[in-house]
Amino acid sequence: MISKDKSFKVQFLRWWGKDRKLTPIERMSSRVGYMGAGFLMAGQWTVEPILFILGFCCVLFQVGVRKQWNLVVLQLNGLVAWTIHFIGSL
């Protein structure tokens, strides 16, 4: 048997939380973000600038769709740094 206060707690949490479906662009950006994280991990092992650039572009797309502007700035910083490194190594 469920106690009354637990039942109230469950009802309150259901009311408090927002259950929504992701839009197609949000689902796609999530998958692209995972791919970008994979590129960044591969770049750590190989120290290949192209992998870092691809990774930062993919993750930049994900955080841009989610409107996480502090992470957008962080990804842009990494993208610019590795682009300069890549151009300098040519």
Side-chain angles (χ1 to χ4, degrees), residues 11-45:
Q11 288 176 355
F12 178 73
L13 289 176
R14 284 187 182 158
W15 171 79
W16 189 265
K18 185 177 180 183
D19 188 24
R20 70 175 192 91
K21 303 252 182 209
L22 294 177
T23 63
I25 191 77
E26 289 172 330
R27 281 195 305 269
M28 185 178 72
S29 72
S30 179
R31 292 176 182 135
V32 170
Y34 280 123
M35 187 172 61
F39 281 133
L40 289 173
M41 284 189 292
Q44 289 290 324
W45 290 325

